[in-house]
Amino acid sequence: MLWPALQLHADGELAAEQVQQMIDTLGLDRVPLTEGPSAAMSIAHGFRAGDDGIRLILDLGHRAEVGWLFTLLSEGEPAATETVEEYRALLRALVDRFGLHIISVDPAATADEVFVMPDPGPDVDESGIGYSWDLPYDELDHIWAHLDLLPDAPDEVKAVKLRELTRTPVWRVAPERLRGQVEEFLGGAGPAR
């Protein structure tokens, strides 16, 4: 079984030579993966051995014209945290080197790795009329899974996700207790990023 350990989404245009340089730098074979969560976009992959003896697969995928997906998978069991962090640093450095822009990293470790929807702007109805809070959450500790976060995610990552939630129209009708806990978590900073 393949376990997704890390995915980095980036965008930016690369010339064919740059793509080949990236593949060479990562030590990948120009052969697409045939299984796993990134197989549909895969253009190259390679096998590695983690420090803990777990077999790893590093994959490079391409989506649309300017989208890139770097995926680290482990076979059989989850990769060690230290291994994931080594690859996070490697991939972030590679993205910087080739002038790409990070869209998101999963799991996110810093605020700049969280995908945030663009602000809807001033045309959004802010009255809350017609919205209902259909989520079964009224406590901050219960909402992390809904935001696709583990409870032990870094606070700066949690803050970005919470600020994004507070920018949605439905937030205005969220349970008062939850709104208060979120405001307290954010230090009263409100929905601005």
mmCIF file of all heavy atoms in Angstrom, residues 46-93:
data_model
loop_
_atom_site.group_PDB
_atom_site.id
_atom_site.type_symbol
_atom_site.label_atom_id
_atom_site.label_comp_id
_atom_site.label_asym_id
_atom_site.label_seq_id
_atom_site.Cartn_x
_atom_site.Cartn_y
_atom_site.Cartn_z
ATOM 1 N N GLY A 46 10.860 8.110 -8.928
ATOM 2 C CA GLY A 46 12.042 7.361 -8.536
ATOM 3 C C GLY A 46 11.864 6.774 -7.156
ATOM 4 O O GLY A 46 11.066 7.261 -6.360
ATOM 5 N N PHE A 47 12.601 5.702 -6.892
ATOM 6 C CA PHE A 47 12.533 5.014 -5.608
ATOM 7 C C PHE A 47 13.679 5.463 -4.726
ATOM 8 O O PHE A 47 14.772 5.747 -5.184
ATOM 9 C CB PHE A 47 12.578 3.502 -5.817
ATOM 10 C CG PHE A 47 11.379 2.990 -6.554
ATOM 11 C CD1 PHE A 47 11.421 2.787 -7.924
ATOM 12 C CD2 PHE A 47 10.195 2.725 -5.881
ATOM 13 C CE1 PHE A 47 10.311 2.325 -8.614
ATOM 14 C CE2 PHE A 47 9.075 2.266 -6.562
ATOM 15 C CZ PHE A 47 9.135 2.057 -7.932
ATOM 16 N N ARG A 48 13.419 5.496 -3.438
ATOM 17 C CA ARG A 48 14.402 5.883 -2.438
ATOM 18 C C ARG A 48 14.250 4.970 -1.227
ATOM 19 O O ARG A 48 13.206 4.367 -1.029
ATOM 20 C CB ARG A 48 14.163 7.312 -1.940
ATOM 21 C CG ARG A 48 14.000 8.375 -2.999
ATOM 22 C CD ARG A 48 15.323 9.072 -3.174
ATOM 23 N NE ARG A 48 15.328 10.246 -4.002
ATOM 24 C CZ ARG A 48 14.902 10.369 -5.232
ATOM 25 N NH1 ARG A 48 14.289 9.391 -5.798
ATOM 26 N NH2 ARG A 48 15.048 11.469 -5.921
ATOM 27 N N ALA A 49 15.255 4.951 -0.396
ATOM 28 C CA ALA A 49 15.166 4.264 0.892
ATOM 29 C C ALA A 49 15.244 5.323 1.980
ATOM 30 O O ALA A 49 16.179 6.121 2.014
ATOM 31 C CB ALA A 49 16.299 3.258 1.056
ATOM 32 N N GLY A 50 14.252 5.358 2.847
ATOM 33 C CA GLY A 50 14.272 6.300 3.958
ATOM 34 C C GLY A 50 15.273 5.865 5.013
ATOM 35 O O GLY A 50 15.700 4.710 5.046
ATOM 36 N N ASP A 51 15.656 6.783 5.883
ATOM 37 C CA ASP A 51 16.598 6.471 6.968
ATOM 38 C C ASP A 51 16.070 5.354 7.861
ATOM 39 O O ASP A 51 16.835 4.639 8.487
ATOM 40 C CB ASP A 51 16.864 7.715 7.817
ATOM 41 C CG ASP A 51 17.606 8.784 7.034
ATOM 42 O OD1 ASP A 51 18.242 8.456 6.015
ATOM 43 O OD2 ASP A 51 17.527 9.958 7.445
ATOM 44 N N ASP A 52 14.757 5.215 7.911
ATOM 45 C CA ASP A 52 14.134 4.204 8.762
ATOM 46 C C ASP A 52 13.925 2.877 8.035
ATOM 47 O O ASP A 52 13.269 1.983 8.535
ATOM 48 C CB ASP A 52 12.804 4.728 9.301
ATOM 49 C CG ASP A 52 11.926 5.305 8.202
ATOM 50 O OD1 ASP A 52 12.271 5.171 7.008
ATOM 51 O OD2 ASP A 52 10.887 5.898 8.529
ATOM 52 N N GLY A 53 14.470 2.764 6.800
ATOM 53 C CA GLY A 53 14.357 1.531 6.034
ATOM 54 C C GLY A 53 13.079 1.414 5.221
ATOM 55 O O GLY A 53 12.890 0.429 4.507
ATOM 56 N N ILE A 54 12.204 2.396 5.312
ATOM 57 C CA ILE A 54 10.954 2.364 4.551
ATOM 58 C C ILE A 54 11.249 2.773 3.108
ATOM 59 O O ILE A 54 11.973 3.738 2.860
ATOM 60 C CB ILE A 54 9.906 3.296 5.180
ATOM 61 C CG1 ILE A 54 9.529 2.788 6.566
ATOM 62 C CG2 ILE A 54 8.677 3.410 4.303
ATOM 63 C CD1 ILE A 54 8.612 3.716 7.330
ATOM 64 N N ARG A 55 10.687 2.042 2.170
ATOM 65 C CA ARG A 55 10.877 2.363 0.756
ATOM 66 C C ARG A 55 9.986 3.548 0.393
ATOM 67 O O ARG A 55 8.792 3.578 0.700
ATOM 68 C CB ARG A 55 10.523 1.159 -0.102
ATOM 69 C CG ARG A 55 10.861 1.357 -1.549
ATOM 70 C CD ARG A 55 10.714 0.055 -2.272
ATOM 71 N NE ARG A 55 10.290 0.318 -3.624
ATOM 72 C CZ ARG A 55 10.474 -0.495 -4.619
ATOM 73 N NH1 ARG A 55 11.041 -1.658 -4.423
ATOM 74 N NH2 ARG A 55 10.063 -0.190 -5.821
ATOM 75 N N LEU A 56 10.580 4.536 -0.251
ATOM 76 C CA LEU A 56 9.884 5.768 -0.631
ATOM 77 C C LEU A 56 9.804 5.887 -2.141
ATOM 78 O O LEU A 56 10.679 5.383 -2.858
ATOM 79 C CB LEU A 56 10.623 6.981 -0.078
ATOM 80 C CG LEU A 56 10.856 7.029 1.425
ATOM 81 C CD1 LEU A 56 11.801 8.166 1.776
ATOM 82 C CD2 LEU A 56 9.533 7.181 2.151
ATOM 83 N N ILE A 57 8.791 6.581 -2.602
ATOM 84 C CA ILE A 57 8.658 6.915 -4.013
ATOM 85 C C ILE A 57 8.491 8.427 -4.091
ATOM 86 O O ILE A 57 7.636 8.999 -3.416
ATOM 87 C CB ILE A 57 7.431 6.240 -4.654
ATOM 88 C CG1 ILE A 57 7.547 4.727 -4.548
ATOM 89 C CG2 ILE A 57 7.289 6.677 -6.109
ATOM 90 C CD1 ILE A 57 6.289 3.990 -4.937
ATOM 91 N N LEU A 58 9.309 9.058 -4.903
ATOM 92 C CA LEU A 58 9.185 10.489 -5.152
ATOM 93 C C LEU A 58 8.675 10.649 -6.569
ATOM 94 O O LEU A 58 9.239 10.080 -7.511
ATOM 95 C CB LEU A 58 10.531 11.195 -4.983
ATOM 96 C CG LEU A 58 10.512 12.715 -5.150
ATOM 97 C CD1 LEU A 58 9.560 13.375 -4.149
ATOM 98 C CD2 LEU A 58 11.914 13.286 -4.995
ATOM 99 N N ASP A 59 7.601 11.397 -6.721
ATOM 100 C CA ASP A 59 6.950 11.535 -8.020
ATOM 101 C C ASP A 59 6.832 13.009 -8.400
ATOM 102 O O ASP A 59 6.586 13.861 -7.546
ATOM 103 C CB ASP A 59 5.549 10.909 -7.978
ATOM 104 C CG ASP A 59 4.845 10.985 -9.311
ATOM 105 O OD1 ASP A 59 5.338 10.352 -10.270
ATOM 106 O OD2 ASP A 59 3.824 11.685 -9.406
ATOM 107 N N LEU A 60 7.006 13.277 -9.682
ATOM 108 C CA LEU A 60 6.778 14.613 -10.243
ATOM 109 C C LEU A 60 5.604 14.506 -11.197
ATOM 110 O O LEU A 60 5.612 13.684 -12.120
ATOM 111 C CB LEU A 60 8.015 15.119 -10.990
ATOM 112 C CG LEU A 60 7.837 16.423 -11.773
ATOM 113 C CD1 LEU A 60 7.478 17.583 -10.846
ATOM 114 C CD2 LEU A 60 9.094 16.735 -12.574
ATOM 115 N N GLY A 61 4.598 15.320 -10.954
ATOM 116 C CA GLY A 61 3.429 15.347 -11.821
ATOM 117 C C GLY A 61 3.253 16.725 -12.433
ATOM 118 O O GLY A 61 3.750 17.719 -11.911
ATOM 119 N N HIS A 62 2.538 16.753 -13.559
ATOM 120 C CA HIS A 62 2.280 18.011 -14.262
ATOM 121 C C HIS A 62 0.792 18.100 -14.526
ATOM 122 O O HIS A 62 0.182 17.153 -15.017
ATOM 123 C CB HIS A 62 3.064 18.018 -15.578
ATOM 124 C CG HIS A 62 3.033 19.319 -16.282
ATOM 125 N ND1 HIS A 62 2.658 19.451 -17.595
ATOM 126 C CD2 HIS A 62 3.335 20.567 -15.866
ATOM 127 C CE1 HIS A 62 2.747 20.717 -17.964
ATOM 128 N NE2 HIS A 62 3.142 21.411 -16.919
ATOM 129 N N ARG A 63 0.198 19.238 -14.175
ATOM 130 C CA ARG A 63 -1.230 19.427 -14.430
ATOM 131 C C ARG A 63 -1.430 20.744 -15.164
ATOM 132 O O ARG A 63 -0.717 21.712 -14.908
ATOM 133 C CB ARG A 63 -2.035 19.376 -13.142
ATOM 134 C CG ARG A 63 -1.764 20.480 -12.183
ATOM 135 C CD ARG A 63 -2.666 20.355 -10.950
ATOM 136 N NE ARG A 63 -2.882 21.633 -10.357
ATOM 137 C CZ ARG A 63 -2.041 22.213 -9.515
ATOM 138 N NH1 ARG A 63 -0.929 21.629 -9.190
ATOM 139 N NH2 ARG A 63 -2.319 23.403 -9.021
ATOM 140 N N ALA A 64 -2.387 20.738 -16.044
ATOM 141 C CA ALA A 64 -2.661 21.910 -16.883
ATOM 142 C C ALA A 64 -1.369 22.348 -17.551
ATOM 143 O O ALA A 64 -0.522 21.533 -17.860
ATOM 144 C CB ALA A 64 -3.310 23.019 -16.058
ATOM 145 N N GLU A 65 -1.211 23.629 -17.767
ATOM 146 C CA GLU A 65 -0.001 24.086 -18.450
ATOM 147 C C GLU A 65 1.094 24.490 -17.485
ATOM 148 O O GLU A 65 2.263 24.417 -17.821
ATOM 149 C CB GLU A 65 -0.340 25.264 -19.366
ATOM 150 C CG GLU A 65 -1.187 24.853 -20.558
ATOM 151 C CD GLU A 65 -1.440 26.011 -21.495
ATOM 152 O OE1 GLU A 65 -0.705 27.018 -21.440
ATOM 153 O OE2 GLU A 65 -2.379 25.904 -22.286
ATOM 154 N N VAL A 66 0.729 24.946 -16.303
ATOM 155 C CA VAL A 66 1.754 25.478 -15.400
ATOM 156 C C VAL A 66 1.707 24.873 -13.996
ATOM 157 O O VAL A 66 2.348 25.381 -13.092
ATOM 158 C CB VAL A 66 1.654 27.022 -15.293
ATOM 159 C CG1 VAL A 66 1.942 27.667 -16.620
ATOM 160 C CG2 VAL A 66 0.290 27.451 -14.754
ATOM 161 N N GLY A 67 0.963 23.800 -13.799
ATOM 162 C CA GLY A 67 0.850 23.219 -12.470
ATOM 163 C C GLY A 67 1.782 22.039 -12.275
ATOM 164 O O GLY A 67 1.923 21.189 -13.147
ATOM 165 N N TRP A 68 2.406 21.987 -11.116
ATOM 166 C CA TRP A 68 3.357 20.927 -10.787
ATOM 167 C C TRP A 68 2.965 20.302 -9.460
ATOM 168 O O TRP A 68 2.546 20.988 -8.539
ATOM 169 C CB TRP A 68 4.776 21.496 -10.708
ATOM 170 C CG TRP A 68 5.165 22.130 -12.006
ATOM 171 C CD1 TRP A 68 5.062 23.460 -12.340
ATOM 172 C CD2 TRP A 68 5.629 21.464 -13.174
ATOM 173 N NE1 TRP A 68 5.458 23.656 -13.638
ATOM 174 C CE2 TRP A 68 5.815 22.442 -14.179
ATOM 175 C CE3 TRP A 68 5.924 20.144 -13.471
ATOM 176 C CZ2 TRP A 68 6.269 22.139 -15.463
ATOM 177 C CZ3 TRP A 68 6.377 19.831 -14.744
ATOM 178 C CH2 TRP A 68 6.549 20.824 -15.715
ATOM 179 N N LEU A 69 3.089 18.982 -9.381
ATOM 180 C CA LEU A 69 2.754 18.261 -8.167
ATOM 181 C C LEU A 69 3.924 17.347 -7.817
ATOM 182 O O LEU A 69 4.288 16.462 -8.586
ATOM 183 C CB LEU A 69 1.486 17.428 -8.370
ATOM 184 C CG LEU A 69 1.027 16.574 -7.196
ATOM 185 C CD1 LEU A 69 0.637 17.461 -6.015
ATOM 186 C CD2 LEU A 69 -0.147 15.704 -7.603
ATOM 187 N N PHE A 70 4.522 17.602 -6.659
ATOM 188 C CA PHE A 70 5.590 16.760 -6.135
ATOM 189 C C PHE A 70 4.962 15.907 -5.031
ATOM 190 O O PHE A 70 4.370 16.456 -4.087
ATOM 191 C CB PHE A 70 6.705 17.612 -5.523
ATOM 192 C CG PHE A 70 7.342 18.560 -6.492
ATOM 193 C CD1 PHE A 70 6.792 19.826 -6.706
ATOM 194 C CD2 PHE A 70 8.480 18.204 -7.195
ATOM 195 C CE1 PHE A 70 7.381 20.713 -7.592
ATOM 196 C CE2 PHE A 70 9.077 19.089 -8.083
ATOM 197 C CZ PHE A 70 8.530 20.341 -8.281
ATOM 198 N N THR A 71 5.094 14.599 -5.134
ATOM 199 C CA THR A 71 4.473 13.706 -4.158
ATOM 200 C C THR A 71 5.510 12.736 -3.616
ATOM 201 O O THR A 71 6.233 12.100 -4.379
ATOM 202 C CB THR A 71 3.319 12.905 -4.807
ATOM 203 O OG1 THR A 71 2.389 13.815 -5.393
ATOM 204 C CG2 THR A 71 2.603 12.059 -3.777
ATOM 205 N N LEU A 72 5.559 12.641 -2.301
ATOM 206 C CA LEU A 72 6.391 11.651 -1.626
ATOM 207 C C LEU A 72 5.460 10.595 -1.050
ATOM 208 O O LEU A 72 4.551 10.913 -0.282
ATOM 209 C CB LEU A 72 7.210 12.291 -0.499
ATOM 210 C CG LEU A 72 8.102 11.338 0.296
ATOM 211 C CD1 LEU A 72 9.219 10.764 -0.591
ATOM 212 C CD2 LEU A 72 8.692 12.047 1.512
ATOM 213 N N LEU A 73 5.674 9.351 -1.468
ATOM 214 C CA LEU A 73 4.865 8.226 -1.004
ATOM 215 C C LEU A 73 5.763 7.247 -0.263
ATOM 216 O O LEU A 73 6.949 7.131 -0.585
ATOM 217 C CB LEU A 73 4.221 7.510 -2.194
ATOM 218 C CG LEU A 73 3.342 8.358 -3.108
ATOM 219 C CD1 LEU A 73 3.194 7.722 -4.471
ATOM 220 C CD2 LEU A 73 1.987 8.556 -2.458
ATOM 221 N N SER A 74 5.197 6.549 0.698
ATOM 222 C CA SER A 74 5.946 5.489 1.371
ATOM 223 C C SER A 74 5.189 4.183 1.159
ATOM 224 O O SER A 74 3.966 4.169 1.057
ATOM 225 C CB SER A 74 6.140 5.792 2.848
ATOM 226 O OG SER A 74 4.903 5.879 3.509
ATOM 227 N N GLU A 75 5.942 3.103 1.082
ATOM 228 C CA GLU A 75 5.332 1.795 0.860
ATOM 229 C C GLU A 75 5.208 1.039 2.175
ATOM 230 O O GLU A 75 6.172 0.947 2.937
ATOM 231 C CB GLU A 75 6.169 0.963 -0.108
ATOM 232 C CG GLU A 75 6.101 1.439 -1.535
ATOM 233 C CD GLU A 75 6.788 0.499 -2.496
ATOM 234 O OE1 GLU A 75 7.676 -0.260 -2.081
ATOM 235 O OE2 GLU A 75 6.418 0.541 -3.677
ATOM 236 N N GLY A 76 4.015 0.519 2.433
ATOM 237 C CA GLY A 76 3.809 -0.342 3.581
ATOM 238 C C GLY A 76 3.434 0.352 4.875
ATOM 239 O O GLY A 76 2.561 -0.098 5.587
ATOM 240 N N GLU A 77 4.112 1.430 5.201
ATOM 241 C CA GLU A 77 3.817 2.164 6.434
ATOM 242 C C GLU A 77 4.210 3.630 6.258
ATOM 243 O O GLU A 77 4.976 3.963 5.358
ATOM 244 C CB GLU A 77 4.528 1.539 7.627
ATOM 245 C CG GLU A 77 6.028 1.445 7.492
ATOM 246 C CD GLU A 77 6.655 0.668 8.644
ATOM 247 O OE1 GLU A 77 6.760 1.247 9.735
ATOM 248 O OE2 GLU A 77 7.027 -0.485 8.432
ATOM 249 N N PRO A 78 3.682 4.497 7.119
ATOM 250 C CA PRO A 78 3.986 5.931 6.977
ATOM 251 C C PRO A 78 5.482 6.224 7.137
ATOM 252 O O PRO A 78 6.181 5.560 7.885
ATOM 253 C CB PRO A 78 3.183 6.573 8.113
ATOM 254 C CG PRO A 78 2.124 5.597 8.451
ATOM 255 C CD PRO A 78 2.713 4.237 8.183
ATOM 256 N N ALA A 79 5.935 7.221 6.411
ATOM 257 C CA ALA A 79 7.330 7.665 6.502
ATOM 258 C C ALA A 79 7.549 8.392 7.821
ATOM 259 O O ALA A 79 6.633 9.003 8.376
ATOM 260 C CB ALA A 79 7.669 8.587 5.338
ATOM 261 N N ALA A 80 8.775 8.347 8.307
ATOM 262 C CA ALA A 80 9.134 9.034 9.546
ATOM 263 C C ALA A 80 9.030 10.548 9.357
ATOM 264 O O ALA A 80 9.282 11.072 8.270
ATOM 265 C CB ALA A 80 10.556 8.659 9.963
ATOM 266 N N THR A 81 8.684 11.242 10.415
ATOM 267 C CA THR A 81 8.551 12.702 10.384
ATOM 268 C C THR A 81 9.837 13.359 9.895
ATOM 269 O O THR A 81 9.792 14.292 9.092
ATOM 270 C CB THR A 81 8.182 13.225 11.782
ATOM 271 O OG1 THR A 81 6.956 12.607 12.186
ATOM 272 C CG2 THR A 81 8.025 14.723 11.781
ATOM 273 N N GLU A 82 10.987 12.872 10.357
ATOM 274 C CA GLU A 82 12.273 13.451 9.944
ATOM 275 C C GLU A 82 12.473 13.321 8.435
ATOM 276 O O GLU A 82 12.975 14.233 7.782
ATOM 277 C CB GLU A 82 13.443 12.769 10.673
ATOM 278 C CG GLU A 82 13.419 12.915 12.179
ATOM 279 C CD GLU A 82 12.467 11.920 12.868
ATOM 280 O OE1 GLU A 82 12.160 10.846 12.298
ATOM 281 O OE2 GLU A 82 12.011 12.242 13.973
ATOM 282 N N THR A 83 12.068 12.180 7.880
ATOM 283 C CA THR A 83 12.187 11.952 6.439
ATOM 284 C C THR A 83 11.305 12.933 5.678
ATOM 285 O O THR A 83 11.739 13.538 4.691
ATOM 286 C CB THR A 83 11.805 10.500 6.087
ATOM 287 O OG1 THR A 83 12.665 9.608 6.808
ATOM 288 C CG2 THR A 83 11.905 10.236 4.598
ATOM 289 N N VAL A 84 10.076 13.088 6.135
ATOM 290 C CA VAL A 84 9.142 14.015 5.480
ATOM 291 C C VAL A 84 9.724 15.426 5.507
ATOM 292 O O VAL A 84 9.685 16.149 4.502
ATOM 293 C CB VAL A 84 7.754 13.964 6.148
ATOM 294 C CG1 VAL A 84 6.845 15.063 5.610
ATOM 295 C CG2 VAL A 84 7.116 12.591 5.940
ATOM 296 N N GLU A 85 10.287 15.841 6.633
ATOM 297 C CA GLU A 85 10.840 17.190 6.744
ATOM 298 C C GLU A 85 12.058 17.384 5.846
ATOM 299 O O GLU A 85 12.264 18.469 5.297
ATOM 300 C CB GLU A 85 11.150 17.530 8.196
ATOM 301 C CG GLU A 85 9.905 17.632 9.071
ATOM 302 C CD GLU A 85 8.812 18.499 8.459
ATOM 303 O OE1 GLU A 85 9.098 19.640 8.030
ATOM 304 O OE2 GLU A 85 7.658 18.032 8.390
ATOM 305 N N GLU A 86 12.870 16.350 5.672
ATOM 306 C CA GLU A 86 14.004 16.442 4.744
ATOM 307 C C GLU A 86 13.510 16.679 3.321
ATOM 308 O O GLU A 86 14.057 17.526 2.601
ATOM 309 C CB GLU A 86 14.841 15.160 4.791
ATOM 310 C CG GLU A 86 15.662 14.990 6.040
ATOM 311 C CD GLU A 86 16.335 13.620 6.121
ATOM 312 O OE1 GLU A 86 16.512 12.968 5.064
ATOM 313 O OE2 GLU A 86 16.678 13.220 7.243
ATOM 314 N N TYR A 87 12.479 15.953 2.925
ATOM 315 C CA TYR A 87 11.942 16.125 1.573
ATOM 316 C C TYR A 87 11.211 17.449 1.424
ATOM 317 O O TYR A 87 11.241 18.062 0.353
ATOM 318 C CB TYR A 87 11.051 14.935 1.179
ATOM 319 C CG TYR A 87 11.876 13.781 0.681
ATOM 320 C CD1 TYR A 87 12.334 12.808 1.556
ATOM 321 C CD2 TYR A 87 12.242 13.684 -0.651
ATOM 322 C CE1 TYR A 87 13.124 11.759 1.113
ATOM 323 C CE2 TYR A 87 13.031 12.645 -1.107
ATOM 324 C CZ TYR A 87 13.467 11.687 -0.224
ATOM 325 O OH TYR A 87 14.249 10.661 -0.682
ATOM 326 N N ARG A 88 10.565 17.912 2.484
ATOM 327 C CA ARG A 88 9.921 19.233 2.440
ATOM 328 C C ARG A 88 10.980 20.294 2.110
ATOM 329 O O ARG A 88 10.794 21.126 1.227
ATOM 330 C CB ARG A 88 9.246 19.561 3.768
ATOM 331 C CG ARG A 88 8.549 20.932 3.801
ATOM 332 C CD ARG A 88 8.072 21.294 5.204
ATOM 333 N NE ARG A 88 7.319 20.251 5.850
ATOM 334 C CZ ARG A 88 6.002 20.061 5.698
ATOM 335 N NH1 ARG A 88 5.305 20.852 4.907
ATOM 336 N NH2 ARG A 88 5.386 19.076 6.342
ATOM 337 N N ALA A 89 12.097 20.262 2.816
ATOM 338 C CA ALA A 89 13.173 21.235 2.594
ATOM 339 C C ALA A 89 13.741 21.099 1.179
ATOM 340 O O ALA A 89 13.963 22.103 0.491
ATOM 341 C CB ALA A 89 14.270 21.054 3.635
ATOM 342 N N LEU A 90 13.959 19.866 0.735
ATOM 343 C CA LEU A 90 14.485 19.624 -0.612
ATOM 344 C C LEU A 90 13.558 20.182 -1.684
ATOM 345 O O LEU A 90 13.996 20.902 -2.597
ATOM 346 C CB LEU A 90 14.686 18.121 -0.833
ATOM 347 C CG LEU A 90 14.986 17.685 -2.266
ATOM 348 C CD1 LEU A 90 16.414 18.038 -2.640
ATOM 349 C CD2 LEU A 90 14.735 16.190 -2.426
ATOM 350 N N LEU A 91 12.270 19.874 -1.570
ATOM 351 C CA LEU A 91 11.310 20.308 -2.589
ATOM 352 C C LEU A 91 11.089 21.815 -2.560
ATOM 353 O O LEU A 91 10.979 22.450 -3.617
ATOM 354 C CB LEU A 91 9.989 19.558 -2.426
ATOM 355 C CG LEU A 91 10.079 18.043 -2.668
ATOM 356 C CD1 LEU A 91 8.749 17.375 -2.373
ATOM 357 C CD2 LEU A 91 10.550 17.740 -4.086
ATOM 358 N N ARG A 92 11.040 22.409 -1.379
ATOM 359 C CA ARG A 92 10.898 23.871 -1.296
ATOM 360 C C ARG A 92 12.099 24.557 -1.945
ATOM 361 O O ARG A 92 11.945 25.547 -2.659
ATOM 362 C CB ARG A 92 10.725 24.319 0.153
ATOM 363 C CG ARG A 92 9.335 23.996 0.715
ATOM 364 C CD ARG A 92 9.145 24.667 2.044
ATOM 365 N NE ARG A 92 9.183 26.106 1.865
ATOM 366 C CZ ARG A 92 8.188 26.930 2.154
ATOM 367 N NH1 ARG A 92 7.065 26.470 2.628
ATOM 368 N NH2 ARG A 92 8.317 28.224 1.974
ATOM 369 N N ALA A 93 13.304 24.045 -1.699
ATOM 370 C CA ALA A 93 14.503 24.624 -2.306
ATOM 371 C C ALA A 93 14.456 24.481 -3.826
ATOM 372 O O ALA A 93 14.825 25.407 -4.559
ATOM 373 C CB ALA A 93 15.758 23.960 -1.741
#
